[in-house]
Amino acid sequence: MNSELTMPTKISFKSNRVMVNGEVVRAAIFARFMVAEVQTELTEKYYLIFYKNALIYGDQLEKGQKGSFLDKVLNEGIVLDQKHPLLPVLIPATALAIPAKNKLFNHLQRNYPLLEIPCIAASLDSFFSPEQLSKLIENIFFHYRRNGSFSKAYQSVRLLSDLSPSLDKISDLLHSREYSSYSSFYTTSSLSAIQKKDPLFAEFHCFMNRKNTEHFQILEKILKSEERYAEGLLLWLDDKRNLTSESVKSQTELALKYIPLENWIQVLSYAEINPYKWIPEARTFIEGLMKDGQYKKAAVYLFPFIEELPEEFHQILNEIWKQVDAEFVTSHLDEFLLLQQQVAQEHDPRQSEQRILQLTAKLMEGHDLKVVCEKLKPIQKSFPNSIAIRKINEMAALMENPDRMMDLGQFYAEFNQYDQAIECFFWEMELNPSDPAPVRQLCKMYQHKGMVNEASAYQQIYTQLRSDQETG
């Protein structure tokens, strides 16, 4: 997505009683979890763990250790970089507080179902030792077993080896014969049966195998039923196998229930899905920008798909070409070269020539003549009779001829490039010190530049030279 349309995603949180402010530089979704990598104002790096949109824990880290839960999420999850337009939707706008480390386990047991705590604990292996996590998880496992809930005891640790290899040893608890029937259920039952029995496992299993159509569809249903719309959109964007008019339409209807149209257009553009091809509302949005005089913003939205816009957008492109200034065109030259090819046949010749003249003058401010000629070649193909381009080509030829500096200076003056024109007229004046013509031009150039004293001085020299000519 164009950086002109995106803003950094800010985040604030309290850590050890100190308020920390930073920007989210990366985030990743992994089933019920989200990991956010934060760069603080002091260039510290924090990793925050969210579960069901609530902050579980976080701390300073250089990076997630290889094989850790963080490493798994950032490599196998759905990753959003700092420019992703859905990132602000996922990151809470209110200030957060990282729970105290020594009270975290008690906090988890007060606020989450006991069966989910081992899964949450597995996500913390970058912040706690395996021994600390194992103790918590084993307590829950044996709690269920003492109460005769062998099925829940099995469920509580079934996922752990998939989430955190450092907790592999806990899976040894399941190797006894008394759990073989439960193990068999997971290997022989259908996904729908497993979901009814163990929805936590089913969701993570489907996420980790989301490239499989059946798993994808079940995960999609889970997210929809729990109204986790942003995650559902990310899942769809991550897949893109069934990109059809209907799928774009249905996802648009869903998205517009909770995010503005502008944000949704940004999301589609970021995913390289052409919104102007698929959704009629996108054209209405662009027309609204133009009605408000925001032609540059409209242009930036259209640029990524400039070669794929439907024909009905040609009138819009033509209007943008007329309204934006040459400086903006120059800063987006590649896109405007494509734009002018799209609308070349619809331009009024006089308006086209005026635009080319403005563009050429702007190019000359930052480039030498050879570079300007090269950049104008694509436009010359569409406008072979352009007077401005013909003059630029003539100027490039004159650069090699010191006897034609007067002509070159005149060309520069026509493009309002007064400093370059002055150099040419100076050259001519030195070659022909008795000729009043270059002096007269120097006077004019300084007048255009508003340099009254210099203009007056050359006017006096010009008057003296003319007088000398007349008296012989």
Side-chain angles (χ1 to χ4, degrees):
M1 189 66 206
N2 195 296
S3 59
E4 293 172 87
L5 301 175
T6 57
M7 296 291 290
T9 302
K10 305 286 187 178
I11 190 169
S12 299
F13 54 89
K14 188 175 287 186
S15 176
N16 297 322
R17 299 182 180 179
V18 176
M19 186 58 69
V20 178
N21 299 306
E23 293 181 7
V24 180
V25 297
R26 182 170 51 153
I29 300 295
F30 194 91
R32 299 182 181 187
F33 287 100
M34 179 177 71
V35 168
E37 181 182 322
V38 178
Q39 190 80 30
T40 73
E41 294 174 339
L42 301 176
T43 69
E44 301 162 329
K45 186 181 289 185
Y46 276 78
Y47 285 92
L48 307 181
I49 307 284
F50 295 81
Y51 180 77
K52 291 183 174 179
N53 300 319
L55 177 62
I56 297 298
Y57 191 67
D59 206 346
Q60 282 184 249
L61 286 173
E62 281 303 311
K63 62 180 179 178
Q65 294 181 344
K66 191 170 179 61
S68 67
F69 176 79
L70 283 178
D71 181 60
K72 186 179 186 71
V73 171
L74 292 171
N75 283 286
E76 300 178 26
I78 299 174
V79 179
L80 296 77
D81 66 25
Q82 63 193 116
K83 295 181 181 179
H84 199 293
L86 275 180
L87 191 58
V89 178
L90 295 167
I91 300 298
T94 55
L96 306 170
I98 297 176
K101 191 171 186 178
N102 60 350
K103 298 178 180 178
L104 179 60
F105 293 163
N106 289 332
H107 170 78
L108 293 178
Q109 292 181 70
R110 286 196 307 269
N111 291 280
Y112 293 93
L114 198 61
L115 203 54
E116 296 181 21
I117 291 176
C119 173
I120 297 173
S123 72
L124 304 173
D125 59 355
S126 292
F127 309 104
F128 292 84
S129 69
E131 292 74 23
Q132 289 174 301
L133 298 177
S134 296
K135 183 179 179 181
L136 171 66
I137 294 168
E138 287 174 354
N139 285 342
I140 294 170
F141 174 83
F142 287 117
H143 166 80
Y144 281 124
R145 199 168 85 162
R146 282 193 302 271
N147 288 285
S149 300
F150 284 81
S151 174
K152 289 185 176 180
Y154 184 89
Q155 285 182 34
S156 68
V157 295
R158 176 68 178 79
L159 259 178
L160 300 188
S161 60
D162 290 331
L163 297 182
S164 175
S166 64
L167 299 175
D168 264 347
K169 291 183 179 178
I170 293 181
S171 62
D172 292 341
L173 296 170
L174 305 179
H175 291 164
S176 61
R177 190 177 302 172
E178 58 190 328
Y179 295 107
S180 60
S181 61
Y182 302 113
S183 176
S184 176
F185 169 77
Y186 285 86
T187 56
T188 61
S189 301
S190 66
L191 267 175
S192 57
I194 294 173
Q195 186 186 1
K196 290 178 183 178
K197 186 80 172 178
D198 189 351
L200 182 66
F201 173 86
E203 181 175 337
F204 279 88
H205 181 72
C206 287
F207 185 88
M208 289 184 280
N209 295 278
R210 60 189 182 278
K211 299 303 180 184
N212 174 284
T213 301
E214 182 186 6
H215 292 71
F216 177 90
Q217 291 174 345
I218 291 177
L219 181 59
E220 195 174 38
K221 288 179 182 177
I222 291 172
L223 297 177
K224 189 173 182 179
S225 67
E226 296 181 3
E227 298 184 347
R228 292 156 62 185
Y229 300 126
E231 294 168 64
L233 291 174
L234 286 170
L235 180 70
W236 175 70
L237 293 168
D238 186 56
D239 182 64
K240 286 194 208 174
R241 285 174 297 176
N242 300 309
L243 188 62
T244 63
S245 175
E246 283 304 310
S247 70
V248 176
K249 181 180 178 181
S250 63
Q251 294 296 331
T252 297
E253 290 176 355
L254 175 63
L256 294 184
K257 290 179 181 179
Y258 72 98
I259 62 174
L261 175 61
E262 180 172 2
N263 296 81
W264 179 235
I265 290 174
Q266 290 179 358
V267 169
L268 292 176
S269 298
Y270 184 89
E272 299 180 352
I273 298 172
N274 187 346
Y276 314 105
K277 174 183 177 183
W278 300 97
I279 57 174
E281 297 93 337
R283 178 176 176 177
T284 305
F285 168 71
I286 295 296
E287 290 173 337
L289 290 178
M290 295 173 65
K291 186 177 180 180
D292 293 339
Q294 299 185 65
Y295 294 98
K296 294 179 182 179
K297 189 173 183 179
V300 172
Y301 269 102
L302 293 173
F303 281 157
F305 306 100
I306 201 74
E307 295 181 279
E308 306 167 24
L309 292 174
E311 190 173 340
E312 57 264 28
F313 275 81
H314 284 193
Q315 185 177 351
I316 291 174
L317 295 175
N318 189 28
E319 188 63 23
I320 288 174
W321 174 267
K322 294 177 186 176
Q323 297 294 337
V324 296
D325 57 52
E327 183 175 1
F328 181 74
V329 174
T330 306
S331 63
H332 298 85
L333 186 61
D334 291 341
E335 291 90 347
F336 272 95
L337 291 177
L338 294 172
L339 185 152
Q340 62 83 23
Q341 291 170 15
Q342 295 289 321
V343 301
Q345 301 305 316
E346 301 174 29
H347 281 173
D348 178 277
R350 289 171 297 179
Q351 290 180 339
S352 297
E353 185 62 26
Q354 183 62 28
R355 299 300 297 161
I356 293 171
L357 182 63
Q358 292 173 346
L359 171 59
T360 303
K362 206 66 189 176
L363 284 172
M364 292 172 73
E365 291 178 8
H367 305 282
D368 61 38
L369 283 175
K370 289 184 178 179
V371 174
V372 174
C373 287
E374 284 299 314
K375 289 186 176 293
L376 290 175
K377 279 183 178 179
I379 295 181
Q380 187 174 12
K381 291 179 181 178
S382 299
F383 299 94
N385 299 318
S386 168
I387 297 172
I389 295 178
R390 176 178 59 76
K391 288 181 179 180
I392 286 293
N393 292 333
E394 288 183 31
M395 290 172 69
L398 291 175
M399 288 287 292
E400 307 300 326
N401 189 347
D403 295 329
R404 299 284 303 278
M405 287 298 104
M406 193 70 178
D407 294 331
L408 182 59
Q410 294 283 11
F411 278 129
Y412 273 123
E414 289 183 38
F415 286 104
N416 300 328
Q417 306 301 303
Y418 302 124
D419 289 334
Q420 293 94 323
I422 286 171
E423 288 183 19
C424 294
F425 296 138
F426 263 133
W427 177 283
E428 185 69 21
M429 187 179 71
E430 290 182 3
L431 286 178
N432 300 287
S434 61
D435 186 355
V439 181
R440 175 60 176 157
Q441 293 303 320
L442 284 168
C443 177
K444 288 183 178 180
M445 295 305 100
Y446 282 115
Q447 285 176 345
H448 285 305
K449 286 170 64 69
M451 300 173 70
V452 178
N453 292 336
E454 289 81 356
S456 177
Y458 280 102
Q459 178 62 44
Q460 291 177 20
I461 297 172
Y462 170 73
T463 302
Q464 183 61 50
L465 289 175
R466 284 297 303 259
S467 174
D468 292 345
Q469 276 187 341
E470 292 173 0
T471 59

